């Protein structure tokens, strides 16, 4: 095996904005929970394997919330209701709503990997399941000590494996098992604050050393191609249903604003301009790449099926040699030519995201490396292949034993000094293969255009094309029309205008549309439906307009039962 190969991991870190801008309260805890568990563990793996290189993509709105939590811990003014309850000295005098809130929240974990392994936590869960059929009156008899233990175990289970190894107090608490008092909870809260506050500095240090490249996403994670053109949904699904609205008003300027804000905040946090953009959901179109080119973006990435659809459109047939067309960068003819596009190896990425959690960690790591070695063996082009493995850096690990600790440790160990596979970043690949910003690579392909799509099935069907999703788009379009009308009138002060724009940006997040539909857990659908409508109602309030009455009623009638996927997100195709 003589052919060298560049392997680029892109770990995508994202949570939508869970803040209620009307009150400053956090409505869901997923940002700090993933920081305790996943963002901390992923940084630790890289720190312990300094020869392994990767791209880490942070969505700016996630970083905004991490900084918000850092300020909460520094000031001891907690605006997350679950953290406030953890910090409460006495849990014996809770209101009925607080009592129910703890019970509703603290079993939202992967039961097999995050509850069952801990006998004391499992006992709490078994007792709850025994009493639950008897109704709220019986559940109300659960004591303050039960609730204290439940809150403590929930947060202990969400601590990353690396965090447990760093903080002896966590091991001591887990050994204690029950009867946690206020002092125990304060010690746990201190570890949480320390961990969450350290996330951005740790990744900044990794980037400064050159080990990782930090890329960005348009600020609030909008599904940019649909904001630019709702009809782009029909490029991959010609008979897709669409909202009644013909277009999203002013979509071009809104996408440009999300991109500009992402670049500005990235420079402020990390001292450099991001060279690459991972569009929200890997959703791309020719129009979006043209906007990225205007912002001097050097690379973007998407899913393998987007490439396959685009090649099929360009050549009129499928190209059989996957290894020939997938493992190279591309550029698009025309105004977006200087943006180099990389496409995800869906098979390798999904092995990590969905399959290897059921394997022994070392077996999975060696299998993955063997798969990449085979790609190198099959390469006959004479050029060094570049293999892009792109997936969430947060949602898969709760399905792995020990949060994927042993799998990732064995994987990085196998790759550190591999004779053929070189881990790399997209920017350094471009710099070492040719002059960054040029498009004169011998192995680079050219496409006349992109068939618009995402990393999920190569389509936009997860965000548009069914009645509930289309209705959500129509409500957003209506709100944007009202926003434009009020801005033209000049009735808002500059402070009021900025508040309304921030609220609009939050409403434009792709996450709201993801959750509508009958394939997601019903509890999650209801939560995101309620949050989306609340955000739109508050936007109208900021615009000093009455909100449409339809926003008082659920938009979605879907959901697939009451089971809840932990982490605030189903296991995405990522």
């Amino acid at each position: 095996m003589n052919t060298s190969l560049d392997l680029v991991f892109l770990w995508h870190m994202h949570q939508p904005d869970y803040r209620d801008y009307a009150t400053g309260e956090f409505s869901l805890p997923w940002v700090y929970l993933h920081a305790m568990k996943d963002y901390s563990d992923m940084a630790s793996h890289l720190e312990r394997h300094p020869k392994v290189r990767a791209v880490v993509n942070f969505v700016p709105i996630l970083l905004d919330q991490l900084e918000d939590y850092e300020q909460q811990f520094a000031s001891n003014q907690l605006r997350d209701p679950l953290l406030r309850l953890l910090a409460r000295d006495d849990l014996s005098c809770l209101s009925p709503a607080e009592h129910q809130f703890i019970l509703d929240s603290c079993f939202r974990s992967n039961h097999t990997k995050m509850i069952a392994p801990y006998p004391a936590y499992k006992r709490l869960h078994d007792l709850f399941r025994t009493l639950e059929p008897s109704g709220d009156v019986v559940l109300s008899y659960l004591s303050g000590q039960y609730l204290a233990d439940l809150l403590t175990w929930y947060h202990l289970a969400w601590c990353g494996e690396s965090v447990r190894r760093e903080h002896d107090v966590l091991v001591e608490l887990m050994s204690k098992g029950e009867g946690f008092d206020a002092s125990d909870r304060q010690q746990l809260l201190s570890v949480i604050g320390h961990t969450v506050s350290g996330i951005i500095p740790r990744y900044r240090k990794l980037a400064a050393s050159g080990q990782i490249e930090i890329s960005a996403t348009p600020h609030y994670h909008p599904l940019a191609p649909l904001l630019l053109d709702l009809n782009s949904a029909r490029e991959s699904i010609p008979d897709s249903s669409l909202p009644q609205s013909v277009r999203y008003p002013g979509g071009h300027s809104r996408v440009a604003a999300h991109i500009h804000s992402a670049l500005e905040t990235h420079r402020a946090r990390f001292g450099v301009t991001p060279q690459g953009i991972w569009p929200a959901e890997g959703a791309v179109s020719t129009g979006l790449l043209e906007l990225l080119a205007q912002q001097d973006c050097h690379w973007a990435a998407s899913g393998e099926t987007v490439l396959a659809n685009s090649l099929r459109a360009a050549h009129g047939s499928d190209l059989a040699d996957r290894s020939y067309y997938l493992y190279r960068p591309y550029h698009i003819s025309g105004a977006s030519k200087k943006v180099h596009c990389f496409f995800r190896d869906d098979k390798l990425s999904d092995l990590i995201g969905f399959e290897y959690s059921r394997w022994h960690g070392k077996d999975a790591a060696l299998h993955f490396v063997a798969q990449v070695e085979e790609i190198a063996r099959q390469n006959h082009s004479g050029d060094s292949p570049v293999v892009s493995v792109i997936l969430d850096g947060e949602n898969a690990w709760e399905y792995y034993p020990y949060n994927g600790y042993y799998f990732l440790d064995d994987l990085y160990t196998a790759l550190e000094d591999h004779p053929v596979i070189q881990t790399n970043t997209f920017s350094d690949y471009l710099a070492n293969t040719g002059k960054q910003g040029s498009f004169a690579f011998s192995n680079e392909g050219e496409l006349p255009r992109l068939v618009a799509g995402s990393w999920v099935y190569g389509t936009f069907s997860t965000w548009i094309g069914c009645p509930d999703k289309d209705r959500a788009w129509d409500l957003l379009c209506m709100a944007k029309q009202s926003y434009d009308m009020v801005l033209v009138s000049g009735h808002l002060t500059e402070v009021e205008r900025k508040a309304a724009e921030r609220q609009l940006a939050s409403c434009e997040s792709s996450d709201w549309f993801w959750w509508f539909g009958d394939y997601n857990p019903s509890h999650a659908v209801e939560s995101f439906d309620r949050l989306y409508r609340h955000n739109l109602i508050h936007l109208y309030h900021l615009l000093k307009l009455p909100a449409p009455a339809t926003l008082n009623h659920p938009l979605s009638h879907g959901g697939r039962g009451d089971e809840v996927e932990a982490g605030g997100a189903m296991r995405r195709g990522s």
Side-chain angles (χ1 to χ4, degrees):
M1 189 191 313
N2 297 318
T3 303
S4 63
L5 178 148
D6 285 282
L7 173 63
V8 180
F9 290 107
L10 187 154
W11 302 113
H12 172 53
M13 312 297 197
H14 167 59
Q15 291 292 316
D17 195 347
Y18 295 118
R19 293 172 295 185
D20 181 344
Y21 290 160
T23 64
E25 291 277 295
F26 277 76
S27 57
L28 291 170
W30 304 123
V31 168
Y32 82 82
L33 291 176
H34 279 293
M36 292 160 53
K37 187 169 78 71
D38 304 305
Y39 310 144
S40 55
D41 269 7
M42 294 298 279
S44 178
H45 285 296
L46 289 164
E47 290 161 351
R48 289 183 298 104
H49 296 278
K51 294 182 182 178
V52 172
R53 309 190 65 218
V55 179
V56 179
N57 187 81
F58 275 110
V59 179
I61 190 56
L62 168 59
L63 297 175
D64 291 346
Q65 292 176 91
L66 286 173
E67 290 176 342
D68 192 317
Y69 275 106
E70 182 180 1
Q71 293 167 4
Q72 292 179 56
F73 285 113
S75 64
N76 200 30
Q77 299 293 317
L78 298 175
R79 286 178 283 102
D80 187 293
L82 205 57
L83 282 176
R84 268 204 309 270
L85 286 167
L86 182 66
R88 183 86 64 88
D89 285 339
D90 184 3
L91 293 173
S92 62
C93 300
L94 298 178
S95 70
E98 289 172 326
H99 190 284
Q100 188 61 47
F101 178 68
I102 295 173
L103 296 178
D104 287 343
S105 300
C106 291
F107 294 118
R108 292 191 196 172
S109 305
N110 182 288
H111 288 202
T112 303
K113 298 297 190 295
M114 297 178 68
I115 295 179
Y118 309 111
Y121 195 6
K122 184 176 182 300
R123 281 198 301 273
L124 296 172
H125 181 252
D126 291 345
L127 178 58
F128 171 76
R129 293 301 297 268
T130 299
L131 298 179
E132 186 181 23
S134 300
D136 293 342
V137 173
V138 172
L139 288 173
S140 70
Y141 288 115
L142 290 170
S143 70
Q145 186 60 64
Y146 175 93
L147 298 174
D149 287 359
L150 179 56
L151 272 168
T152 303
W153 266 111
Y154 182 65
H155 287 89
L156 286 172
W158 272 91
C159 286
E161 190 67 18
S162 64
V163 179
R164 292 175 188 165
R165 293 167 184 243
E166 179 184 349
H167 296 278
D168 292 340
V169 66
L170 299 182
V171 178
E172 293 168 4
L173 291 175
M174 296 175 83
S175 298
K176 182 176 181 178
E178 60 188 5
F180 300 115
D181 58 25
S183 175
D184 294 328
R185 297 196 302 279
Q186 282 298 329
Q187 290 183 80
L188 175 56
L189 192 68
S190 177
V191 172
I192 295 172
H194 172 81
T195 303
V196 172
S197 301
I199 296 298
I200 294 176
R202 291 173 74 180
Y203 282 96
R204 186 189 298 121
K205 184 177 180 180
L206 285 165
S209 74
Q211 185 180 354
I212 68 170
E213 173 182 4
I214 301 180
S215 58
T217 294
H219 200 118
Y220 281 76
H221 206 263
L223 214 294
L226 292 179
L227 291 186
L228 293 172
D229 181 7
L230 291 172
N231 284 288
S232 66
R234 288 183 168 166
E235 292 187 26
S236 56
I237 303 180
D239 61 350
S240 173
S241 71
L242 294 175
Q244 294 181 10
S245 304
V246 176
R247 63 185 177 86
Y248 184 67
H252 186 279
S253 63
R254 291 301 306 143
V255 173
H258 281 277
I259 296 171
H260 177 75
S261 179
L263 298 179
E264 287 294 309
T265 55
H266 190 103
R267 279 191 287 265
R269 287 184 175 110
F270 302 111
V272 296
T273 300
Q275 299 300 295
I277 293 290
W278 168 252
E281 309 296 358
V284 292
S285 64
T286 301
L288 174 59
L289 290 188
E290 290 173 355
L291 267 178
L292 294 178
Q294 292 171 16
Q295 296 286 347
D296 202 29
C297 175
H298 290 145
W299 65 260
S302 186
E304 179 179 338
T305 309
V306 172
L307 174 61
N309 290 343
S310 301
L311 288 166
R312 192 177 301 117
H315 298 283
S317 63
D318 291 324
L319 297 184
D321 190 353
R322 179 174 179 266
S323 64
Y324 175 79
Y325 72 77
L326 181 57
Y327 305 124
R328 56 170 61 188
Y330 284 81
H331 62 261
I332 314 303
S333 303
S336 60
K337 192 173 184 180
K338 68 180 181 180
V339 180
H340 307 281
C341 296
F342 296 88
F343 294 93
R344 173 185 193 260
D345 185 313
D346 286 349
K347 177 185 175 183
L348 287 175
S349 302
D350 287 344
L351 280 172
I352 298 176
F354 299 101
E355 176 63 28
Y356 286 152
S357 60
R358 296 188 286 268
W359 292 39
H360 185 277
K362 191 157 198 172
D363 291 341
L366 293 177
H367 181 268
F368 180 90
V369 171
Q371 298 293 300
V372 180
E373 289 172 343
E374 185 61 23
I375 293 169
R377 268 192 294 267
Q378 292 178 359
N379 177 57
H380 304 297
S381 67
D383 295 311
S384 176
V386 55
V387 177
S388 304
V389 174
I390 303 173
L391 66 154
D392 283 359
E394 53 197 8
N395 287 324
W397 310 122
E398 67 203 53
Y399 297 87
Y400 280 72
Y402 301 99
N403 206 43
Y405 182 90
Y406 293 104
F407 165 70
L408 283 168
D409 188 57
D410 287 330
L411 177 61
Y412 283 178
T413 298
L415 292 171
E416 275 184 302
D417 294 302
H418 197 282
V420 173
I421 304 168
Q422 170 182 276
T423 56
N424 209 344
T425 68
F426 287 131
S427 286
D428 280 356
Y429 172 85
L430 293 174
N432 295 331
T433 309
K435 185 178 179 182
Q436 191 179 53
S438 74
F439 38 84
F441 302 116
S442 61
N443 68 329
E444 185 163 33
E446 182 174 20
L447 293 168
R449 71 179 182 91
L450 277 180
V451 173
S454 76
W455 68 345
V456 185
Y457 315 126
T459 73
F460 297 141
S461 61
T462 301
W463 301 273
I464 199 168
C466 77
D468 291 349
K469 297 176 190 293
D470 293 348
R471 190 179 306 115
W473 276 104
D474 280 324
L475 288 170
L476 179 61
C477 291
M478 186 188 310
K480 180 56 163 56
Q481 289 174 335
S482 297
Y483 172 88
D484 291 342
M485 177 188 69
V486 171
L487 255 62
V488 169
S489 73
H491 290 162
L492 299 183
T493 67
E494 182 63 15
V495 171
E496 291 170 336
R497 184 196 64 77
K498 288 182 177 179
E501 182 180 12
R502 184 177 70 162
Q503 186 68 42
L504 173 66
S506 185
C507 294
E508 290 169 336
S509 167
S510 73
D511 295 88
W512 312 121
F513 307 96
W514 170 284
W515 288 100
F516 296 118
D518 60 6
Y519 51 85
N520 280 318
S522 59
H523 186 285
V525 174
E526 292 167 4
S527 294
F528 277 78
D529 184 337
R530 184 172 58 253
L531 286 172
Y532 180 60
R533 289 183 289 110
H534 178 79
N535 277 324
L536 286 174
I537 289 170
H538 189 55
L539 175 60
Y540 280 102
H541 173 75
L542 293 172
L543 295 173
K544 304 177 182 180
L545 295 174
T550 186
L551 291 177
N552 295 320
H553 307 286
L555 302 178
S556 180
H557 304 93
R560 57 172 175 84
D562 294 328
E563 72 273 27
V564 176
E565 302 283 355
M570 66 175 281
R571 296 184 71 192
R572 304 156 89 97
S574 47

